[in-house]
Amino acid sequence: MVVLENVEKTYQTRGGIVKALRDINLHIEKGRFIAICGPSGSGKTTLLMAIAAMLRPTKGTVRIEQNDLYKMGIRDRARFRAENIGFIFQMFHLIPYLNVIENVILAGGVIGKSRNAANARDLLKQLGLESRVFHKPAQLSAGEKQRVAIARALFNRPKIMLADEPTGNLDDENAASVIGHLSEFHRSGGTVILATHQLQARKFASQVIYLRDGTIEKPKLC
Amino acid sequence: MMILGLIFKEIRYRKTNFLFGLLAVMAAVALFISFFTAGKASERETARLMLSMGFNVHIISENTNTSEFLLTGLADQTMPEQYLEKLASQQAISYNHLLASLQKKISWRGFDVILTGLAAEICPPGSKKSPISYQIEPGNLYVGYRVAQTLGLKDSDTVEIEGKTLMVARCLSESGGADDIRIQCHLRDAQDILKLPGRISEIRAVDCLCFAPAGDPASVLRKEIGSLLPQTQVFHTRSIASARAETRQMVKNLFTVIMPLVVVACGVWIGVLAVINVRDRQQEIGIMRALGYDSGRIISLFLGKAVVIGLLGAAIGFLAGTALAMRFGPDIFKITAKTMIKPEPFLLVISLIFAPLFAAVSSFIAAMIAATYDPAVTLREA
């Protein structure tokens, strides 16, 4: 279970203090598919980063399965993230000098050798990338890049998948494919938290959360 | 994936950044190696050239007519030969190349010559130096150019001086100075000819007091020698001493001024390249942090790369520096280059230790910047 209690996040900018998140209280049960919607600047990415143990809230607590993320030390938090959370970004963020399989295996670098190249190949096969294993990111299409990013996110068999506009740079066909893979992860028991504008993605969600000006506007069960 | 694997893959991907970094380390190492390799030859060459300017300390009897000595270079009084041994046996004395001589102007075959008897040259105890004066065997005679020309002497001729038979071992080439009218033999032979057994007229030396920290080198010499040989006078030929000292110091200064400048410039260069590399890799750092890589691993990516650059730069720089010194050294240092300029393996070891350290220190700030990148910020801004 992911629990956010009274979470606030403020940024100090040249123009003054910006409140990115305001008093967020959220309980996400294990195995749910949550879609977070809202206009640009509403705080979607900030919320995901806070859940991903990458952005300490100014106030409040973030817990995943009883672990208070921001009471952990930096190393423990990094390891917790590597073991439990997969992350997919709009911009893919593949390492340009590593080929497809190396990009996937990179995710296992922190948690040891329990996962290996064979696991990575299996994942890539499931994602239809078996012929692209030794290609560099520059040789892939946008859809393929995002599928590599999904393989990387899945490599450590995370419990939670966070996806920040993962279809934002894809055509409809590839967007559907990506959402399909997230849905498959959800069906296998994983928790998905997806920040998106795509109406299609919301169809798969068991819950949609609307964010506006850093506030949850309208929790709604689907 | 191992950090080293990531480093090598990134190097292959960003070749230009790597090559510029390598160039900086290589330049610093090559300069250091060529300076050091050729520097030894330079120092030796300077010393040799300066020695060829002659002795610069003259010790004569206290009864010698000083004006006459300064005018002619000949001491009209003698002193005991034991003075040389006394001086030579001192451990903490500040000079090199001691030479005792007995000199007198004589008339030989109707020709005014300077008869010079030379003892074997002595160095201070513990010091092994090549002699800078002629080492003449007893029974042999070295004849100055004008004497040989005027008297029609040639090598292997046998001559007689005041009843003493000597063999012309060498007819010297023209010097354009007093040496042209000099006939030189072993000190014993000169003492026999002049009937002055156990006597010398002068002790000459090359000093090493040019940069004595306390005061005038001549007064230091006089104090040292005066306490040892109270019945003597000491003359210090300052122009020769100064020229020698200044030339040696100039070579040292060149090295000590230029080298730090080059090292600092190369260090800044490597540091700037490392910062550029960090900025280019913001997203990569961000994603690695998101994947759970901690600061230590991020730092090791950048410092590891610096160490690779340092090791490779040291090896190539050593080869380049040695090649430069061996190619151009002999043109500059004609006397000593053949024996002094050669590959110095210990410099390779020093380079392999210090160049990676130097590159890592230069990249340290960049590595720290990388370690402090907030993944939330870098991934959101990308």
Side-chain angles (χ1 to χ4, degrees):
Chain A
M1 182 190 276
V2 179
V3 178
L4 284 84
E5 286 176 347
N6 307 317
V7 169
E8 284 189 20
K9 179 67 187 175
T10 55
Y11 295 107
Q12 182 71 50
T13 66
R14 284 179 189 171
I17 292 172
V18 175
K19 285 200 171 184
L21 296 176
R22 300 162 191 256
D23 198 28
I24 299 287
N25 288 285
L26 201 56
H27 290 244
I28 300 170
E29 294 297 330
K30 188 179 174 186
R32 304 280 282 178
F33 192 130
I34 306 293
I36 301 172
C37 305
S40 294
S42 60
K44 298 189 296 293
T45 300
T46 303
L47 182 59
L48 285 187
M49 293 287 184
I51 296 170
M54 285 200 280
L55 190 66
R56 181 185 291 277
T58 313
K59 199 176 152 192
T61 56
V62 180
R63 289 200 305 274
I64 296 178
E65 292 178 352
Q66 309 306 317
N67 296 291
D68 190 334
L69 298 186
Y70 297 98
K71 279 193 175 166
M72 292 180 185
I74 293 173
R75 276 173 185 262
D76 289 341
R77 196 159 63 237
R79 190 166 183 87
F80 182 86
R81 186 165 59 236
E83 288 173 346
N84 296 286
I85 302 169
F87 215 120
I88 307 169
F89 306 90
Q90 181 178 356
M91 300 301 293
F92 325 127
H93 293 315
L94 300 179
I95 309 255
Y97 52 84
L98 299 181
N99 63 30
V100 166
I101 195 163
E102 288 166 344
N103 262 292
V104 175
I105 292 172
L106 186 71
V110 178
I111 62 166
K113 293 182 177 174
S114 60
R115 305 287 285 157
N116 55 32
N119 300 127
R121 276 176 184 273
D122 285 347
L123 266 174
L124 291 168
K125 196 175 174 185
Q126 286 167 33
L127 290 158
L129 291 165
E130 62 268 39
S131 62
R132 300 295 207 178
V133 169
F134 297 110
H135 284 69
K136 293 278 170 61
Q139 298 168 303
L140 303 177
S141 69
E144 287 170 329
K145 283 179 191 172
Q146 195 58 294
R147 278 185 279 154
V148 175
I150 292 171
R152 183 178 62 192
L154 292 171
F155 185 67
N156 288 337
R157 290 188 287 203
K159 297 184 179 91
I160 302 165
M161 181 70 77
L162 303 176
D164 187 9
E165 303 278 7
T167 57
N169 279 340
L170 303 179
D171 56 31
D172 289 346
E173 193 182 336
N174 278 306
S177 167
V178 167
I179 297 299
H181 288 299
L182 289 178
S183 185
E184 206 173 301
F185 173 75
H186 169 234
R187 279 198 300 276
S188 66
T191 305
V192 176
I193 304 174
L194 167 70
T196 184
H197 285 108
Q198 295 260 336
L199 286 169
Q200 190 188 11
R202 295 177 214 173
K203 290 178 196 167
F204 292 88
S206 44
Q207 185 179 353
V208 176
I209 295 166
Y210 292 95
L211 268 183
R212 184 180 291 276
D213 294 330
T215 310
I216 294 176
E217 197 173 57
K218 191 179 174 188
K220 177 182 167 186
L221 284 172
C222 297
Chain B
M1 184 174 293
M2 297 289 287
I3 293 291
L4 206 58
L6 285 172
I7 289 169
F8 282 115
K9 283 175 192 296
E10 195 273 333
I11 284 172
R12 275 213 299 273
Y13 182 70
R14 294 191 178 90
K15 292 185 191 76
T16 312
N17 184 284
F18 172 74
L19 286 175
F20 275 117
L22 186 66
L23 199 68
V25 177
M26 215 182 80
V29 173
L31 200 72
F32 167 75
I33 296 291
S34 55
F35 248 82
F36 204 89
T37 307
K40 279 173 71 180
S42 161
E43 197 171 313
R44 186 79 185 132
E45 184 110 347
T46 305
R48 288 286 291 272
L49 289 171
M50 291 302 106
L51 280 176
S52 70
M53 292 171 74
F55 293 92
N56 68 335
V57 176
H58 302 265
I59 303 161
I60 54 175
S61 164
E62 66 171 345
N63 300 321
T64 297
N65 181 330
T66 309
S67 303
E68 185 71 16
F69 175 74
L70 292 174
L71 198 64
T72 62
L74 296 172
D76 60 356
Q77 299 295 317
T78 61
M79 54 193 176
E81 191 181 337
Q82 287 85 349
Y83 277 19
L84 178 71
E85 290 154 24
K86 206 171 173 183
L87 207 55
S89 64
Q90 295 305 305
Q91 292 281 346
I93 207 90
S94 311
Y95 48 74
N96 300 301
H97 300 283
L98 286 177
L99 178 68
S101 65
L102 177 63
Q103 297 194 92
K104 192 164 186 187
K105 194 174 100 178
I106 62 168
S107 182
W108 183 47
R109 296 185 181 179
F111 195 74
D112 283 342
V113 297
I114 301 167
L115 174 68
T116 303
L118 299 174
E121 200 174 301
I122 296 171
C123 293
S127 165
K128 286 182 182 174
K129 292 177 184 292
S130 304
I132 59 170
S133 61
Y134 295 126
Q135 302 296 291
I136 304 173
E137 293 292 318
N140 284 349
L141 188 71
Y142 283 22
V143 183
Y145 179 77
R146 281 189 60 79
V147 181
Q149 291 290 308
T150 309
L151 302 179
L153 296 174
K154 56 184 186 302
D155 289 359
S156 303
D157 282 354
T158 303
V159 296
E160 196 173 291
I161 308 171
E162 302 290 324
K164 180 91 178 171
T165 304
L166 299 166
M167 188 190 77
V168 177
R170 203 168 151 189
C171 291
L172 301 173
S173 54
E174 190 172 9
S175 71
D179 283 348
D180 289 346
I181 54 161
R182 199 183 297 276
I183 52 173
Q184 301 179 73
C185 58
H186 191 272
L187 179 65
R188 293 281 168 271
D189 294 333
Q191 287 169 339
D192 289 347
I193 292 166
L194 298 172
K195 296 181 176 54
L196 290 167
R199 305 295 291 181
I200 54 175
S201 56
E202 186 182 358
I203 297 172
R204 284 178 275 173
V206 175
D207 76 278
C208 56
L209 275 174
C210 309
F211 282 96
D216 175 28
S219 55
V220 176
L221 267 175
R222 284 194 184 108
K223 195 178 168 190
E224 282 186 358
I225 295 168
S227 61
L228 198 66
L229 307 172
Q231 292 170 321
T232 59
Q233 303 179 60
V234 178
F235 290 88
H236 186 243
T237 315
R238 193 167 297 222
S239 59
I240 295 177
S242 300
R244 179 183 302 142
E246 280 164 16
T247 311
R248 280 188 185 175
Q249 195 60 29
M250 193 179 69
V251 173
K252 279 185 182 171
N253 286 348
L254 198 67
F255 185 77
T256 50
V257 169
I258 289 180
M259 202 55 218
L261 284 178
V262 170
V263 167
V264 168
C266 288
V268 170
W269 176 257
I270 292 167
V272 168
L273 285 170
V275 169
I276 291 170
N277 191 237
V278 167
R279 289 182 69 88
D280 283 350
R281 297 169 69 183
Q282 273 188 66
Q283 281 186 45
E284 179 189 331
I285 296 162
I287 192 63
M288 291 180 88
R289 296 302 295 267
L291 291 172
Y293 283 73
D294 58 25
S295 310
R297 287 179 190 234
I298 301 295
I299 289 170
S300 63
L301 272 178
F302 290 91
L303 293 188
K305 182 179 178 181
V307 168
V308 170
I309 289 173
L311 283 172
L312 207 58
I316 300 173
F318 172 78
L319 292 175
T322 304
L324 275 174
M326 292 182 77
R327 168 66 186 82
F328 297 107
D331 295 339
I332 304 165
F333 310 111
K334 295 187 189 324
I335 303 170
T336 53
K338 274 189 181 173
T339 52
M340 298 299 291
I341 300 183
K342 57 189 179 202
E344 301 280 0
F346 84 96
L347 289 179
L348 175 62
V349 176
I350 288 174
S351 304
L352 287 173
I353 293 169
F354 285 100
L357 201 65
F358 162 67
V361 168
S362 302
S363 303
F364 187 74
I365 292 172
M368 288 299 119
I369 292 171
T372 53
Y373 271 150
D374 184 341
V377 175
T378 51
L379 294 174
R380 194 170 41 213
E381 285 176 351

